[in-house]
Amino acid sequence: VGSMGRVLLAESDHRLCLAMRLFLEQDASLGVVGEADHAESLLAQACLHPPDLVLMDWNLKGLRPIQLLEALRECCPAASVVVTSVSAENRDQALASGADAFLLKNLPPDEFLASVHTILTERDRQ
């Protein structure tokens, strides 16, 4: 996969997941390596093939988001975990719970993509 950013999408809304995948894949430097619509599937995939970046729906079915973040940190500590939500009120809790970043799902696709790049660039510098 080389220097391509490997992205694991965890999104409970199938239409939104598809839309996110489509615009992420238009970027040659990103590759969607998996999709999960619930916490157990996300953890199974992330532990088996650790991605560079996890885009995690704050309201993903399964574990509570705080437990899910802790489990992700254990199984793929090098991955950047970005919490996505439609509600800005979740930002502080997500960041306090160990997320590397927080993105609103209703950002324009180009802004969302720019944010993903910034997060991956910061990760590579560490």
Side-chain angles (χ1 to χ4, degrees):
V1 181
S3 64
M4 188 164 76
R6 297 184 322 271
V7 180
L8 182 53
L9 271 180
E11 172 56 59
S12 41
D13 180 329
H14 288 289
R15 283 184 312 235
L16 188 55
C17 190
L18 182 64
M20 289 167 87
R21 178 184 202 112
L22 287 172
F23 79 74
L24 287 169
E25 287 186 336
Q26 285 171 1
D27 187 316
S29 67
L30 298 173
V32 177
V33 295
E35 287 177 21
D37 63 359
H38 61 278
E40 289 77 8
S41 172
L42 169 58
L43 284 174
Q45 292 181 65
C47 296
L48 198 60
H49 302 289
D52 297 312
L53 182 79
V54 177
L55 281 175
M56 180 190 121
D57 176 6
W58 185 248
N59 296 313
L60 200 64
K61 294 184 288 259
L63 295 170
R64 295 211 324 278
I66 295 161
Q67 293 172 303
L68 182 52
L69 278 165
E70 283 174 8
L72 277 171
R73 285 279 167 243
E74 279 181 31
C75 82
C76 50
S80 294
V81 181
V82 179
V83 166
T84 61
S85 176
V86 288
S87 170
E89 289 92 71
N90 294 323
R91 177 188 308 265
D92 293 343
Q93 194 183 2
L95 295 173
S97 303
D100 293 296
F102 178 91
L103 290 176
L104 284 170
K105 292 183 186 183
N106 54 1
L107 277 178
D110 52 340
E111 273 183 54
F112 195 95
L113 209 51
S115 300
V116 166
H117 274 286
T118 302
I119 293 154
L120 282 169
T121 304
E122 285 170 3
R123 173 189 176 272
D124 290 341
R125 284 203 198 109
Q126 287 173 1

PDB file of all heavy atoms in Angstrom, residues 33-72:
ATOM      1  N   VAL A  33      -9.716   0.593   3.581  1.00  0.00           N
ATOM      2  CA  VAL A  33      -9.334  -0.812   3.744  1.00  0.00           C
ATOM      3  C   VAL A  33     -10.412  -1.645   4.423  1.00  0.00           C
ATOM      4  O   VAL A  33     -10.290  -2.853   4.530  1.00  0.00           O
ATOM      5  CB  VAL A  33      -7.998  -0.960   4.511  1.00  0.00           C
ATOM      6  CG1 VAL A  33      -6.853  -0.358   3.698  1.00  0.00           C
ATOM      7  CG2 VAL A  33      -8.070  -0.296   5.880  1.00  0.00           C
ATOM      8  N   GLY A  34     -11.481  -0.987   4.881  1.00  0.00           N
ATOM      9  CA  GLY A  34     -12.540  -1.749   5.515  1.00  0.00           C
ATOM     10  C   GLY A  34     -13.677  -0.854   5.932  1.00  0.00           C
ATOM     11  O   GLY A  34     -13.526   0.374   6.013  1.00  0.00           O
ATOM     12  N   GLU A  35     -14.821  -1.493   6.161  1.00  0.00           N
ATOM     13  CA  GLU A  35     -15.998  -0.774   6.632  1.00  0.00           C
ATOM     14  C   GLU A  35     -16.626  -1.580   7.752  1.00  0.00           C
ATOM     15  O   GLU A  35     -16.634  -2.809   7.700  1.00  0.00           O
ATOM     16  CB  GLU A  35     -17.032  -0.630   5.509  1.00  0.00           C
ATOM     17  CG  GLU A  35     -16.655   0.357   4.437  1.00  0.00           C
ATOM     18  CD  GLU A  35     -17.689   0.390   3.321  1.00  0.00           C
ATOM     19  OE1 GLU A  35     -18.836  -0.016   3.548  1.00  0.00           O
ATOM     20  OE2 GLU A  35     -17.319   0.819   2.222  1.00  0.00           O
ATOM     21  N   ALA A  36     -17.138  -0.870   8.735  1.00  0.00           N
ATOM     22  CA  ALA A  36     -17.804  -1.545   9.852  1.00  0.00           C
ATOM     23  C   ALA A  36     -19.057  -0.764  10.195  1.00  0.00           C
ATOM     24  O   ALA A  36     -19.051   0.463  10.175  1.00  0.00           O
ATOM     25  CB  ALA A  36     -16.872  -1.598  11.058  1.00  0.00           C
ATOM     26  N   ASP A  37     -20.142  -1.493  10.511  1.00  0.00           N
ATOM     27  CA  ASP A  37     -21.351  -0.782  10.914  1.00  0.00           C
ATOM     28  C   ASP A  37     -21.685  -1.037  12.377  1.00  0.00           C
ATOM     29  O   ASP A  37     -22.723  -0.630  12.869  1.00  0.00           O
ATOM     30  CB  ASP A  37     -22.535  -1.106  10.006  1.00  0.00           C
ATOM     31  CG  ASP A  37     -22.927  -2.578  10.055  1.00  0.00           C
ATOM     32  OD1 ASP A  37     -22.276  -3.355  10.783  1.00  0.00           O
ATOM     33  OD2 ASP A  37     -23.892  -2.950   9.362  1.00  0.00           O
ATOM     34  N   HIS A  38     -20.789  -1.723  13.091  1.00  0.00           N
ATOM     35  CA  HIS A  38     -20.943  -1.855  14.546  1.00  0.00           C
ATOM     36  C   HIS A  38     -19.569  -2.064  15.184  1.00  0.00           C
ATOM     37  O   HIS A  38     -18.604  -2.395  14.499  1.00  0.00           O
ATOM     38  CB  HIS A  38     -21.933  -2.961  14.928  1.00  0.00           C
ATOM     39  CG  HIS A  38     -21.533  -4.323  14.466  1.00  0.00           C
ATOM     40  ND1 HIS A  38     -21.764  -4.768  13.190  1.00  0.00           N
ATOM     41  CD2 HIS A  38     -20.894  -5.319  15.114  1.00  0.00           C
ATOM     42  CE1 HIS A  38     -21.284  -5.998  13.067  1.00  0.00           C
ATOM     43  NE2 HIS A  38     -20.754  -6.349  14.208  1.00  0.00           N
ATOM     44  N   ALA A  39     -19.507  -1.849  16.479  1.00  0.00           N
ATOM     45  CA  ALA A  39     -18.246  -1.819  17.217  1.00  0.00           C
ATOM     46  C   ALA A  39     -17.442  -3.120  17.084  1.00  0.00           C
ATOM     47  O   ALA A  39     -16.233  -3.091  16.895  1.00  0.00           O
ATOM     48  CB  ALA A  39     -18.515  -1.518  18.692  1.00  0.00           C
ATOM     49  N   GLU A  40     -18.116  -4.268  17.182  1.00  0.00           N
ATOM     50  CA  GLU A  40     -17.393  -5.547  17.148  1.00  0.00           C
ATOM     51  C   GLU A  40     -16.675  -5.727  15.813  1.00  0.00           C
ATOM     52  O   GLU A  40     -15.535  -6.169  15.758  1.00  0.00           O
ATOM     53  CB  GLU A  40     -18.360  -6.710  17.385  1.00  0.00           C
ATOM     54  CG  GLU A  40     -18.886  -6.789  18.816  1.00  0.00           C
ATOM     55  CD  GLU A  40     -19.989  -5.764  19.136  1.00  0.00           C
ATOM     56  OE1 GLU A  40     -20.478  -5.073  18.203  1.00  0.00           O
ATOM     57  OE2 GLU A  40     -20.342  -5.638  20.324  1.00  0.00           O
ATOM     58  N   SER A  41     -17.359  -5.381  14.737  1.00  0.00           N
ATOM     59  CA  SER A  41     -16.771  -5.497  13.402  1.00  0.00           C
ATOM     60  C   SER A  41     -15.579  -4.544  13.264  1.00  0.00           C
ATOM     61  O   SER A  41     -14.535  -4.903  12.712  1.00  0.00           O
ATOM     62  CB  SER A  41     -17.842  -5.180  12.351  1.00  0.00           C
ATOM     63  OG  SER A  41     -17.275  -5.108  11.070  1.00  0.00           O
ATOM     64  N   LEU A  42     -15.719  -3.328  13.775  1.00  0.00           N
ATOM     65  CA  LEU A  42     -14.630  -2.349  13.731  1.00  0.00           C
ATOM     66  C   LEU A  42     -13.404  -2.891  14.449  1.00  0.00           C
ATOM     67  O   LEU A  42     -12.290  -2.867  13.916  1.00  0.00           O
ATOM     68  CB  LEU A  42     -15.079  -1.030  14.367  1.00  0.00           C
ATOM     69  CG  LEU A  42     -13.973   0.001  14.620  1.00  0.00           C
ATOM     70  CD1 LEU A  42     -13.227   0.371  13.351  1.00  0.00           C
ATOM     71  CD2 LEU A  42     -14.546   1.241  15.281  1.00  0.00           C
ATOM     72  N   LEU A  43     -13.591  -3.407  15.663  1.00  0.00           N
ATOM     73  CA  LEU A  43     -12.455  -3.917  16.438  1.00  0.00           C
ATOM     74  C   LEU A  43     -11.813  -5.116  15.756  1.00  0.00           C
ATOM     75  O   LEU A  43     -10.581  -5.218  15.695  1.00  0.00           O
ATOM     76  CB  LEU A  43     -12.892  -4.280  17.857  1.00  0.00           C
ATOM     77  CG  LEU A  43     -13.101  -3.094  18.784  1.00  0.00           C
ATOM     78  CD1 LEU A  43     -13.675  -3.551  20.117  1.00  0.00           C
ATOM     79  CD2 LEU A  43     -11.785  -2.337  18.997  1.00  0.00           C
ATOM     80  N   ALA A  44     -12.631  -6.017  15.230  1.00  0.00           N
ATOM     81  CA  ALA A  44     -12.087  -7.198  14.563  1.00  0.00           C
ATOM     82  C   ALA A  44     -11.191  -6.788  13.394  1.00  0.00           C
ATOM     83  O   ALA A  44     -10.077  -7.289  13.238  1.00  0.00           O
ATOM     84  CB  ALA A  44     -13.221  -8.098  14.085  1.00  0.00           C
ATOM     85  N   GLN A  45     -11.671  -5.856  12.584  1.00  0.00           N
ATOM     86  CA  GLN A  45     -10.895  -5.416  11.422  1.00  0.00           C
ATOM     87  C   GLN A  45      -9.658  -4.618  11.827  1.00  0.00           C
ATOM     88  O   GLN A  45      -8.582  -4.802  11.263  1.00  0.00           O
ATOM     89  CB  GLN A  45     -11.772  -4.563  10.493  1.00  0.00           C
ATOM     90  CG  GLN A  45     -12.878  -5.350   9.823  1.00  0.00           C
ATOM     91  CD  GLN A  45     -13.697  -4.468   8.904  1.00  0.00           C
ATOM     92  OE1 GLN A  45     -13.190  -3.958   7.910  1.00  0.00           O
ATOM     93  NE2 GLN A  45     -14.960  -4.274   9.241  1.00  0.00           N
ATOM     94  N   ALA A  46      -9.818  -3.725  12.799  1.00  0.00           N
ATOM     95  CA  ALA A  46      -8.707  -2.857  13.210  1.00  0.00           C
ATOM     96  C   ALA A  46      -7.584  -3.669  13.845  1.00  0.00           C
ATOM     97  O   ALA A  46      -6.405  -3.368  13.661  1.00  0.00           O
ATOM     98  CB  ALA A  46      -9.202  -1.791  14.175  1.00  0.00           C
ATOM     99  N   CYS A  47      -7.938  -4.719  14.585  1.00  0.00           N
ATOM    100  CA  CYS A  47      -6.915  -5.523  15.251  1.00  0.00           C
ATOM    101  C   CYS A  47      -6.207  -6.441  14.251  1.00  0.00           C
ATOM    102  O   CYS A  47      -5.019  -6.706  14.381  1.00  0.00           O
ATOM    103  CB  CYS A  47      -7.530  -6.339  16.387  1.00  0.00           C
ATOM    104  SG  CYS A  47      -8.186  -5.290  17.702  1.00  0.00           S
ATOM    105  N   LEU A  48      -6.943  -6.914  13.260  1.00  0.00           N
ATOM    106  CA  LEU A  48      -6.379  -7.813  12.258  1.00  0.00           C
ATOM    107  C   LEU A  48      -5.464  -7.072  11.281  1.00  0.00           C
ATOM    108  O   LEU A  48      -4.366  -7.521  10.968  1.00  0.00           O
ATOM    109  CB  LEU A  48      -7.523  -8.492  11.495  1.00  0.00           C
ATOM    110  CG  LEU A  48      -7.181  -9.745  10.711  1.00  0.00           C
ATOM    111  CD1 LEU A  48      -6.637 -10.832  11.633  1.00  0.00           C
ATOM    112  CD2 LEU A  48      -8.413 -10.258   9.981  1.00  0.00           C
ATOM    113  N   HIS A  49      -5.922  -5.940  10.786  1.00  0.00           N
ATOM    114  CA  HIS A  49      -5.167  -5.131   9.826  1.00  0.00           C
ATOM    115  C   HIS A  49      -5.174  -3.689  10.300  1.00  0.00           C
ATOM    116  O   HIS A  49      -6.020  -2.901   9.876  1.00  0.00           O
ATOM    117  CB  HIS A  49      -5.792  -5.199   8.434  1.00  0.00           C
ATOM    118  CG  HIS A  49      -5.899  -6.584   7.892  1.00  0.00           C
ATOM    119  ND1 HIS A  49      -4.803  -7.307   7.478  1.00  0.00           N
ATOM    120  CD2 HIS A  49      -6.970  -7.388   7.706  1.00  0.00           C
ATOM    121  CE1 HIS A  49      -5.201  -8.500   7.049  1.00  0.00           C
ATOM    122  NE2 HIS A  49      -6.512  -8.576   7.188  1.00  0.00           N
ATOM    123  N   PRO A  50      -4.251  -3.320  11.209  1.00  0.00           N
ATOM    124  CA  PRO A  50      -4.287  -1.964  11.769  1.00  0.00           C
ATOM    125  C   PRO A  50      -4.214  -0.900  10.666  1.00  0.00           C
ATOM    126  O   PRO A  50      -3.300  -0.915   9.848  1.00  0.00           O
ATOM    127  CB  PRO A  50      -3.054  -1.917  12.667  1.00  0.00           C
ATOM    128  CG  PRO A  50      -2.809  -3.345  13.039  1.00  0.00           C
ATOM    129  CD  PRO A  50      -3.201  -4.135  11.825  1.00  0.00           C
ATOM    130  N   PRO A  51      -5.187  -0.009  10.638  1.00  0.00           N
ATOM    131  CA  PRO A  51      -5.191   1.059   9.630  1.00  0.00           C
ATOM    132  C   PRO A  51      -4.338   2.243  10.103  1.00  0.00           C
ATOM    133  O   PRO A  51      -3.850   2.260  11.231  1.00  0.00           O
ATOM    134  CB  PRO A  51      -6.664   1.459   9.572  1.00  0.00           C
ATOM    135  CG  PRO A  51      -7.145   1.222  10.981  1.00  0.00           C
ATOM    136  CD  PRO A  51      -6.370   0.043  11.507  1.00  0.00           C
ATOM    137  N   ASP A  52      -4.155   3.215   9.219  1.00  0.00           N
ATOM    138  CA  ASP A  52      -3.488   4.462   9.615  1.00  0.00           C
ATOM    139  C   ASP A  52      -4.486   5.380  10.305  1.00  0.00           C
ATOM    140  O   ASP A  52      -4.134   6.151  11.183  1.00  0.00           O
ATOM    141  CB  ASP A  52      -2.928   5.175   8.372  1.00  0.00           C
ATOM    142  CG  ASP A  52      -1.875   4.329   7.681  1.00  0.00           C
ATOM    143  OD1 ASP A  52      -0.980   3.830   8.379  1.00  0.00           O
ATOM    144  OD2 ASP A  52      -1.970   4.155   6.456  1.00  0.00           O
ATOM    145  N   LEU A  53      -5.739   5.266   9.864  1.00  0.00           N
ATOM    146  CA  LEU A  53      -6.769   6.185  10.354  1.00  0.00           C
ATOM    147  C   LEU A  53      -8.089   5.444  10.505  1.00  0.00           C
ATOM    148  O   LEU A  53      -8.485   4.694   9.617  1.00  0.00           O
ATOM    149  CB  LEU A  53      -6.936   7.329   9.341  1.00  0.00           C
ATOM    150  CG  LEU A  53      -7.950   8.416   9.699  1.00  0.00           C
ATOM    151  CD1 LEU A  53      -7.347   9.388  10.696  1.00  0.00           C
ATOM    152  CD2 LEU A  53      -8.377   9.174   8.460  1.00  0.00           C
ATOM    153  N   VAL A  54      -8.741   5.646  11.634  1.00  0.00           N
ATOM    154  CA  VAL A  54     -10.091   5.114  11.839  1.00  0.00           C
ATOM    155  C   VAL A  54     -11.049   6.291  11.877  1.00  0.00           C
ATOM    156  O   VAL A  54     -10.863   7.222  12.664  1.00  0.00           O
ATOM    157  CB  VAL A  54     -10.197   4.327  13.175  1.00  0.00           C
ATOM    158  CG1 VAL A  54     -11.632   3.855  13.397  1.00  0.00           C
ATOM    159  CG2 VAL A  54      -9.234   3.144  13.199  1.00  0.00           C
ATOM    160  N   LEU A  55     -12.032   6.271  10.984  1.00  0.00           N
ATOM    161  CA  LEU A  55     -13.106   7.260  11.034  1.00  0.00           C
ATOM    162  C   LEU A  55     -14.262   6.584  11.755  1.00  0.00           C
ATOM    163  O   LEU A  55     -14.898   5.686  11.222  1.00  0.00           O
ATOM    164  CB  LEU A  55     -13.537   7.677   9.621  1.00  0.00           C
ATOM    165  CG  LEU A  55     -12.634   8.678   8.907  1.00  0.00           C
ATOM    166  CD1 LEU A  55     -13.112   8.891   7.475  1.00  0.00           C
ATOM    167  CD2 LEU A  55     -12.585  10.010   9.634  1.00  0.00           C
ATOM    168  N   MET A  56     -14.496   6.980  12.984  1.00  0.00           N
ATOM    169  CA  MET A  56     -15.438   6.271  13.848  1.00  0.00           C
ATOM    170  C   MET A  56     -16.659   7.105  14.179  1.00  0.00           C
ATOM    171  O   MET A  56     -16.562   8.180  14.781  1.00  0.00           O
ATOM    172  CB  MET A  56     -14.704   5.891  15.143  1.00  0.00           C
ATOM    173  CG  MET A  56     -15.556   5.154  16.150  1.00  0.00           C
ATOM    174  SD  MET A  56     -14.687   5.003  17.740  1.00  0.00           S
ATOM    175  CE  MET A  56     -15.850   5.849  18.814  1.00  0.00           C
ATOM    176  N   ASP A  57     -17.806   6.600  13.795  1.00  0.00           N
ATOM    177  CA  ASP A  57     -19.093   7.207  14.133  1.00  0.00           C
ATOM    178  C   ASP A  57     -19.264   7.160  15.660  1.00  0.00           C
ATOM    179  O   ASP A  57     -19.152   6.094  16.261  1.00  0.00           O
ATOM    180  CB  ASP A  57     -20.180   6.384  13.420  1.00  0.00           C
ATOM    181  CG  ASP A  57     -21.601   6.827  13.733  1.00  0.00           C
ATOM    182  OD1 ASP A  57     -21.776   7.856  14.425  1.00  0.00           O
ATOM    183  OD2 ASP A  57     -22.521   6.134  13.293  1.00  0.00           O
ATOM    184  N   TRP A  58     -19.488   8.318  16.278  1.00  0.00           N
ATOM    185  CA  TRP A  58     -19.648   8.385  17.741  1.00  0.00           C
ATOM    186  C   TRP A  58     -20.810   7.525  18.210  1.00  0.00           C
ATOM    187  O   TRP A  58     -20.811   7.009  19.306  1.00  0.00           O
ATOM    188  CB  TRP A  58     -19.836   9.845  18.170  1.00  0.00           C
ATOM    189  CG  TRP A  58     -19.894  10.060  19.648  1.00  0.00           C
ATOM    190  CD1 TRP A  58     -20.985  10.455  20.362  1.00  0.00           C
ATOM    191  CD2 TRP A  58     -18.836   9.924  20.597  1.00  0.00           C
ATOM    192  NE1 TRP A  58     -20.656  10.563  21.697  1.00  0.00           N
ATOM    193  CE2 TRP A  58     -19.342  10.254  21.869  1.00  0.00           C
ATOM    194  CE3 TRP A  58     -17.490   9.556  20.496  1.00  0.00           C
ATOM    195  CZ2 TRP A  58     -18.573  10.218  23.032  1.00  0.00           C
ATOM    196  CZ3 TRP A  58     -16.712   9.524  21.649  1.00  0.00           C
ATOM    197  CH2 TRP A  58     -17.259   9.847  22.892  1.00  0.00           C
ATOM    198  N   ASN A  59     -21.819   7.369  17.353  1.00  0.00           N
ATOM    199  CA  ASN A  59     -23.001   6.596  17.720  1.00  0.00           C
ATOM    200  C   ASN A  59     -23.011   5.200  17.106  1.00  0.00           C
ATOM    201  O   ASN A  59     -24.064   4.625  16.853  1.00  0.00           O
ATOM    202  CB  ASN A  59     -24.275   7.361  17.307  1.00  0.00           C
ATOM    203  CG  ASN A  59     -24.396   8.679  18.066  1.00  0.00           C
ATOM    204  OD1 ASN A  59     -24.221   8.725  19.276  1.00  0.00           O
ATOM    205  ND2 ASN A  59     -24.663   9.744  17.345  1.00  0.00           N
ATOM    206  N   LEU A  60     -21.821   4.662  16.861  1.00  0.00           N
ATOM    207  CA  LEU A  60     -21.712   3.324  16.297  1.00  0.00           C
ATOM    208  C   LEU A  60     -22.395   2.315  17.224  1.00  0.00           C
ATOM    209  O   LEU A  60     -22.267   2.408  18.449  1.00  0.00           O
ATOM    210  CB  LEU A  60     -20.222   2.970  16.151  1.00  0.00           C
ATOM    211  CG  LEU A  60     -19.879   1.850  15.179  1.00  0.00           C
ATOM    212  CD1 LEU A  60     -20.258   2.220  13.753  1.00  0.00           C
ATOM    213  CD2 LEU A  60     -18.390   1.537  15.254  1.00  0.00           C
ATOM    214  N   LYS A  61     -23.103   1.364  16.625  1.00  0.00           N
ATOM    215  CA  LYS A  61     -23.795   0.352  17.426  1.00  0.00           C
ATOM    216  C   LYS A  61     -22.775  -0.547  18.133  1.00  0.00           C
ATOM    217  O   LYS A  61     -21.681  -0.759  17.635  1.00  0.00           O
ATOM    218  CB  LYS A  61     -24.686  -0.522  16.525  1.00  0.00           C
ATOM    219  CG  LYS A  61     -25.834   0.260  15.896  1.00  0.00           C
ATOM    220  CD  LYS A  61     -26.752  -0.629  15.090  1.00  0.00           C
ATOM    221  CE  LYS A  61     -26.140  -1.106  13.794  1.00  0.00           C
ATOM    222  NZ  LYS A  61     -26.560  -0.411  12.591  1.00  0.00           N
ATOM    223  N   GLY A  62     -23.156  -1.063  19.272  1.00  0.00           N
ATOM    224  CA  GLY A  62     -22.273  -1.974  20.002  1.00  0.00           C
ATOM    225  C   GLY A  62     -21.805  -1.349  21.298  1.00  0.00           C
ATOM    226  O   GLY A  62     -22.606  -0.882  22.091  1.00  0.00           O
ATOM    227  N   LEU A  63     -20.502  -1.319  21.482  1.00  0.00           N
ATOM    228  CA  LEU A  63     -19.923  -0.771  22.709  1.00  0.00           C
ATOM    229  C   LEU A  63     -20.220   0.716  22.852  1.00  0.00           C
ATOM    230  O   LEU A  63     -20.438   1.408  21.859  1.00  0.00           O
ATOM    231  CB  LEU A  63     -18.404  -0.940  22.687  1.00  0.00           C
ATOM    232  CG  LEU A  63     -17.847  -2.351  22.702  1.00  0.00           C
ATOM    233  CD1 LEU A  63     -16.343  -2.310  22.431  1.00  0.00           C
ATOM    234  CD2 LEU A  63     -18.105  -3.014  24.039  1.00  0.00           C
ATOM    235  N   ARG A  64     -20.153   1.202  24.081  1.00  0.00           N
ATOM    236  CA  ARG A  64     -20.222   2.649  24.277  1.00  0.00           C
ATOM    237  C   ARG A  64     -18.966   3.258  23.658  1.00  0.00           C
ATOM    238  O   ARG A  64     -17.904   2.629  23.671  1.00  0.00           O
ATOM    239  CB  ARG A  64     -20.296   2.976  25.766  1.00  0.00           C
ATOM    240  CG  ARG A  64     -21.587   2.459  26.406  1.00  0.00           C
ATOM    241  CD  ARG A  64     -22.079   3.308  27.567  1.00  0.00           C
ATOM    242  NE  ARG A  64     -21.065   3.897  28.418  1.00  0.00           N
ATOM    243  CZ  ARG A  64     -20.446   3.248  29.412  1.00  0.00           C
ATOM    244  NH1 ARG A  64     -20.727   1.996  29.681  1.00  0.00           N
ATOM    245  NH2 ARG A  64     -19.546   3.870  30.152  1.00  0.00           N
ATOM    246  N   PRO A  65     -19.064   4.463  23.112  1.00  0.00           N
ATOM    247  CA  PRO A  65     -17.917   5.022  22.380  1.00  0.00           C
ATOM    248  C   PRO A  65     -16.636   5.111  23.206  1.00  0.00           C
ATOM    249  O   PRO A  65     -15.547   4.913  22.671  1.00  0.00           O
ATOM    250  CB  PRO A  65     -18.403   6.406  21.940  1.00  0.00           C
ATOM    251  CG  PRO A  65     -19.706   6.638  22.613  1.00  0.00           C
ATOM    252  CD  PRO A  65     -20.237   5.333  23.077  1.00  0.00           C
ATOM    253  N   ILE A  66     -16.763   5.369  24.502  1.00  0.00           N
ATOM    254  CA  ILE A  66     -15.565   5.493  25.341  1.00  0.00           C
ATOM    255  C   ILE A  66     -14.861   4.139  25.453  1.00  0.00           C
ATOM    256  O   ILE A  66     -13.641   4.044  25.348  1.00  0.00           O
ATOM    257  CB  ILE A  66     -15.941   6.080  26.722  1.00  0.00           C
ATOM    258  CG1 ILE A  66     -16.444   7.526  26.525  1.00  0.00           C
ATOM    259  CG2 ILE A  66     -14.755   6.043  27.683  1.00  0.00           C
ATOM    260  CD1 ILE A  66     -17.255   8.066  27.667  1.00  0.00           C
ATOM    261  N   GLN A  67     -15.645   3.075  25.621  1.00  0.00           N
ATOM    262  CA  GLN A  67     -15.068   1.726  25.680  1.00  0.00           C
ATOM    263  C   GLN A  67     -14.439   1.354  24.340  1.00  0.00           C
ATOM    264  O   GLN A  67     -13.373   0.748  24.287  1.00  0.00           O
ATOM    265  CB  GLN A  67     -16.159   0.693  26.000  1.00  0.00           C
ATOM    266  CG  GLN A  67     -16.737   0.815  27.392  1.00  0.00           C
ATOM    267  CD  GLN A  67     -17.940  -0.128  27.553  1.00  0.00           C
ATOM    268  OE1 GLN A  67     -18.907  -0.049  26.803  1.00  0.00           O
ATOM    269  NE2 GLN A  67     -17.859  -1.012  28.519  1.00  0.00           N
ATOM    270  N   LEU A  68     -15.103   1.732  23.266  1.00  0.00           N
ATOM    271  CA  LEU A  68     -14.609   1.425  21.930  1.00  0.00           C
ATOM    272  C   LEU A  68     -13.277   2.132  21.670  1.00  0.00           C
ATOM    273  O   LEU A  68     -12.337   1.528  21.147  1.00  0.00           O
ATOM    274  CB  LEU A  68     -15.659   1.834  20.891  1.00  0.00           C
ATOM    275  CG  LEU A  68     -15.338   1.547  19.433  1.00  0.00           C
ATOM    276  CD1 LEU A  68     -14.946   0.091  19.214  1.00  0.00           C
ATOM    277  CD2 LEU A  68     -16.525   1.916  18.551  1.00  0.00           C
ATOM    278  N   LEU A  69     -13.184   3.386  22.061  1.00  0.00           N
ATOM    279  CA  LEU A  69     -11.924   4.123  21.897  1.00  0.00           C
ATOM    280  C   LEU A  69     -10.797   3.455  22.676  1.00  0.00           C
ATOM    281  O   LEU A  69      -9.685   3.308  22.172  1.00  0.00           O
ATOM    282  CB  LEU A  69     -12.089   5.581  22.359  1.00  0.00           C
ATOM    283  CG  LEU A  69     -12.724   6.527  21.346  1.00  0.00           C
ATOM    284  CD1 LEU A  69     -13.165   7.814  22.030  1.00  0.00           C
ATOM    285  CD2 LEU A  69     -11.767   6.829  20.203  1.00  0.00           C
ATOM    286  N   GLU A  70     -11.075   3.020  23.905  1.00  0.00           N
ATOM    287  CA  GLU A  70     -10.055   2.351  24.718  1.00  0.00           C
ATOM    288  C   GLU A  70      -9.589   1.064  24.044  1.00  0.00           C
ATOM    289  O   GLU A  70      -8.390   0.772  23.975  1.00  0.00           O
ATOM    290  CB  GLU A  70     -10.606   2.024  26.110  1.00  0.00           C
ATOM    291  CG  GLU A  70     -10.659   3.222  27.026  1.00  0.00           C
ATOM    292  CD  GLU A  70     -11.346   2.903  28.351  1.00  0.00           C
ATOM    293  OE1 GLU A  70     -11.652   1.720  28.612  1.00  0.00           O
ATOM    294  OE2 GLU A  70     -11.574   3.855  29.128  1.00  0.00           O
ATOM    295  N   ALA A  71     -10.557   0.284  23.530  1.00  0.00           N
ATOM    296  CA  ALA A  71     -10.221  -0.977  22.876  1.00  0.00           C
ATOM    297  C   ALA A  71      -9.412  -0.747  21.603  1.00  0.00           C
ATOM    298  O   ALA A  71      -8.450  -1.477  21.325  1.00  0.00           O
ATOM    299  CB  ALA A  71     -11.498  -1.751  22.565  1.00  0.00           C
ATOM    300  N   LEU A  72      -9.761   0.286  20.829  1.00  0.00           N
ATOM    301  CA  LEU A  72      -9.001   0.611  19.619  1.00  0.00           C
ATOM    302  C   LEU A  72      -7.572   0.996  19.961  1.00  0.00           C
ATOM    303  O   LEU A  72      -6.629   0.603  19.280  1.00  0.00           O
ATOM    304  CB  LEU A  72      -9.667   1.776  18.863  1.00  0.00           C
ATOM    305  CG  LEU A  72     -10.826   1.430  17.952  1.00  0.00           C
ATOM    306  CD1 LEU A  72     -11.498   2.709  17.463  1.00  0.00           C
ATOM    307  CD2 LEU A  72     -10.381   0.575  16.775  1.00  0.00           C
TER     308      LEU A  72
END
